[in-house]
Amino acid sequence: MTNNKTEQFNNKQKELASYAKVLSHPARIAIIQLLAEKKEIKTCTISDDLPISRTTVSQHLKILKNAGIIQGTIDGLKIHYCLDMIKLNEIKENYNNFLTAAISDYMCKC
Amino acid sequence: MTNNKTEQFNNKQKELASYAKVLSHPARIAIIQLLAEKKEIKTCTISDDLPISRTTVSQHLKILKNAGIIQGTIDGLKIHYCLDMIKLNEIKENYNNFLTAAISDYMCKC
DNA sequence: AATTTATGTCGTATGTTTGCAACATTAAAC
DNA sequence: GTTTAATGTTGCAAACATACGACATAAATT
């Protein structure tokens, strides 16, 4: 684009937007749900369960990891991924606060 | 991209991802906060308050309107926008349910 | 030490988002 | 009826996201 204006918003707005961006692809929602169910899982198992290639899964995992939503530990050849419950809780609280603040019983004429 | 795989995820995953996409830009977060505060507002007033042009605001409003998050009523030359509290509440519930389901007290070795 | 297995990174193609100026439309004010 | 004001739409350019094959790496197995 001609000009990136994103940095001109406040930090809370940028933070909320960036978490939303992480959650804005169905594959990443699906990965979170899969990790919630299985608790611990490796990349190849994830791509077996999803309609996307191993490479693409790997990239989505990277995005989730950079956001601090998942963690991975190396176990020989395999890497076990799991959810970071503290981070997830923080995101939940942030969105709850934002949306609760926006919602009121005001009824406009729209 | 070579192939769009998005439609192969389930409807709930696609719905959550699409709401997140709407919230994934700081300008749209800011517009929601502004509408929450002022209750009712017109486009030119919004662009006065934000670091982006009127045209760009208009496009963000279109995205919010398509998502059902805001409503607008024509009042002569002016258009009054306001939040759809029912829709916002629905989004809040959806994210709360999704994140609550993902969060558990399980602690893996990661 | 060669092979297999699990994973990550790079390069590339394609699609989507963002931002805005220029133009279009329509109602109000003069 | 011409001008002004408020808004939306179109078209374009730059940036970013998505998807994956090909290659790289490194541990486990043979």
Side-chain angles (χ1 to χ4, degrees), chain A residues 13 33 40 82 106 108 110, chain B residues 13 33 40 82 106 108 110:
Chain A
Q13 289 161 347
Q33 288 176 331
E40 235 172 305
C82 65
Y106 177 81
C108 73
C110 297
Chain B
Q13 290 160 346
Q33 289 176 330
E40 236 173 304
C82 64
Y106 177 81
C108 74
C110 294

Side-chain angles (χ1 to χ4, degrees), chain A residues 45-77:
Chain A
T45 316
I46 297 173
S47 54
D48 288 348
D49 269 46
L50 300 185
I52 46 178
S53 76
R54 190 192 59 74
T55 314
T56 306
V57 167
S58 189
Q59 282 185 134
H60 285 301
L61 287 172
K62 195 179 178 184
I63 291 166
L64 289 164
K65 206 164 145 191
N66 285 343
I69 290 172
I70 63 171
Q71 292 172 338
T73 29
I74 297 167
D75 168 24
L77 252 185

Side-chain angles (χ1 to χ4, degrees), chain B residues 62-74:
Chain B
K62 195 178 176 182
I63 291 166
L64 289 164
K65 204 164 146 190
N66 285 344
I69 290 172
I70 63 171
Q71 293 171 338
T73 30
I74 298 169

Side-chain angles (χ1 to χ4, degrees), chain A residues 16 19 23 69 84-100, chain B residues 92-104:
Chain A
L16 284 165
Y19 285 138
L23 300 177
I69 290 172
D84 184 319
M85 300 305 176
I86 291 156
K87 192 73 181 179
L88 271 185
N89 208 61
E90 188 194 313
I91 293 171
K92 183 183 144 186
E93 293 293 317
N94 272 301
Y95 267 95
N96 231 26
N97 291 344
F98 162 62
L99 291 169
T100 303
Chain B
K92 182 183 147 189
E93 293 294 316
N94 270 300
Y95 266 95
N96 231 26
N97 291 344
F98 163 61
L99 290 169
T100 302
I103 295 165
S104 80

Side-chain angles (χ1 to χ4, degrees), chain A residues 9-39:
Chain A
F9 293 94
N10 77 38
N11 283 338
K12 199 73 202 170
Q13 289 161 347
K14 285 189 277 184
E15 194 195 13
L16 284 165
S18 88
Y19 285 138
K21 189 167 264 179
V22 173
L23 300 177
S24 75
H25 196 288
R28 295 194 285 270
I29 299 284
I31 290 171
I32 292 171
Q33 288 176 331
L34 203 56
L35 284 174
E37 189 199 338
K38 309 272 188 184
K39 307 301 181 196

